[in-house]
Amino acid sequence: MSLTHRDVATVGVGGPVGSGKTSLLAELVPRLRDDGLEVGVIANDILTQEDANALRERFDGVVPPDLVAGVETGACPHTGIREDPSMNLAQIDAFLEDYPDLDLVLVESGGDNLAATFNPELADYSLYVISVAEGDDIPRKRGPGVVDCDLLVVNKTDLAEHVGADLGTIERDARTVRDGPFVMTNCKTGEGVDSVLDHVRKGVLFA
Ligand SMILES: Nc1nc2c(ncn2[C@@H]2O[C@H](COP(=O)(O)OP(=O)(O)OP(=O)(O)O)[C@@H](O)[C@H]2O)c(=O)[nH]1
Ligand SMILES: [Mg+2]
C-alpha cells in the first residue's frame, strides 16, 4: 500500500531569506524529540543541500540522518511549496516508507511575504518566521505570509536594539493585522522556542 502525507502531520516553516528558519528548526526539533515524537525535516533549497547538511550536522546523535532531507526545487522555492508540492510530498512518502510511525514532518522554505505560503496539501499548520533586523514595519506592511500563517514568529529579538527596531511596535502591529498568535524568539539562546513548541503541539498534534 502506498503511504501518503496524510498519514503524518506536517508543519510548514516559511519566511524571508536569513530570518532564522533553520535556526528555529535546530531548536525546535530536539524539543519535539524530547516529547517522544519521531520527526522528519525537509529543507527546500533552490540549488543546494546547504540547510539539510547544516541540520544533519546539528542533529548528529539526536535525529537519524535519513530523516533530514534537502529538496532542490530548481525554481523559486514557492513553486515547490505552493503551486506544485509533489517533490515535497514524494519526500514525505519516502520518509514514511522507512519510518511508518513518523509523527511529524517540518518543511522549511524561504520566500518573501507573498511567496512563502504553503499549499494546504503540504502543510497542516504553517509558521512564518521574520526577523526584527528586517525592520519593525514588516508586520504593518501585511502580506499573506505575515497575516495568514497559523503562527507568526518574530525572531532575532536580541538584534532589536542594534538596528533601531521597536519590539513594542512590532507587537502592536502583529496584533492589529493578525487574528492568529505570534511569538517573539531569539534562536541563538532558545528564548521563546518553548512557546512556539506549545503552539505547534496544540495546532497540529493535539488538534
Ligand atoms: N542574533 C541572532 N542571530 C540569529 C538568530 N536566529 C538566527 N540567527 C542567525 O541568522 C543567520 C541566518 O539564520 P538561518 O537559520 O540560516 O536563517 P534561514 O531563514 O534558515 O535562512 P535561509 O534558509 O538561507 O533563508 C545565521 O547566521 C544565524 O546564526 C537570532 O535569534 N539572533
Ligand atoms: Mg534555512
Side-chain angles (χ1 to χ4, degrees), residues 13-26 43-45 50-51 54 58 108-111 129 131 134 154-159 162 185-191:
V13 182
V17 170
S19 62
K21 301 174 292 296
T22 304
S23 304
L24 177 64
L25 291 176
N44 280 262
D45 242 316
E50 282 289 324
D51 279 0
R58 179 84 178 246
E108 170 183 344
S109 180
V129 183
S131 148
E134 295 159 350
V154 181
N155 188 38
K156 307 195 189 183
T157 50
D158 57 306
L159 296 186
H162 303 293
T185 57
N186 173 352
C187 286
K188 285 280 186 200
T189 61
E191 208 180 317

Side-chain angles (χ1 to χ4, degrees), residues 16-201:
V17 170
S19 62
K21 301 174 292 296
T22 304
S23 304
L24 177 64
L25 291 176
E27 289 292 323
L28 204 52
V29 170
R31 286 168 169 79
L32 289 161
R33 284 192 63 95
D34 284 349
D35 281 354
L37 300 170
E38 189 79 276
V39 184
V41 181
I42 299 175
N44 280 262
D45 242 316
I46 302 177
L47 297 170
T48 72
Q49 296 275 328
E50 282 289 324
D51 279 0
N53 290 338
L55 282 172
R56 232 177 258 122
E57 213 168 285
R58 179 84 178 246
F59 293 154
D60 189 30
V62 180
V63 179
D66 55 351
L67 273 178
V68 180
V71 166
E72 291 177 45
T73 54
C76 285
H78 62 83
T79 307
I81 62 163
R82 194 180 57 195
E83 273 83 53
D84 178 10
S86 53
M87 286 175 82
N88 280 281
L89 295 176
Q91 181 57 60
I92 293 172
D93 280 351
F95 281 159
L96 287 168
E97 291 288 333
D98 295 331
Y99 297 87
D101 295 331
L102 198 60
D103 295 297
L104 181 65
V105 177
L106 297 148
V107 182
E108 170 183 344
S109 180
D112 64 30
N113 206 349
L114 265 182
T117 49
F118 286 83
N119 190 310
E121 281 294 306
L122 178 60
D124 301 320
Y125 189 83
S126 65
L127 313 185
Y128 192 70
V129 183
I130 60 173
S131 148
V132 306
E134 295 159 350
D136 60 15
D137 55 353
I138 297 290
R140 191 158 66 244
K141 290 177 176 169
R142 300 175 190 257
V146 164
V147 174
D148 295 337
C149 65
D150 292 305
L151 178 67
L152 177 66
V153 177
V154 181
N155 188 38
K156 307 195 189 183
T157 50
D158 57 306
L159 296 186
E161 59 180 314
H162 303 293
V163 297
D166 180 12
L167 294 179
T169 300
I170 293 177
E171 187 172 340
R172 188 199 61 214
D173 293 344
R175 282 189 207 289
T176 305
V177 304
R178 285 178 54 73
D179 291 328
F182 69 93
V183 172
M184 299 226 179
T185 57
N186 173 352
C187 286
K188 285 280 186 200
T189 61
E191 208 180 317
V193 177
D194 285 340
S195 178
V196 176
L197 179 70
D198 282 347
H199 283 286
V200 169
R201 284 173 44 187

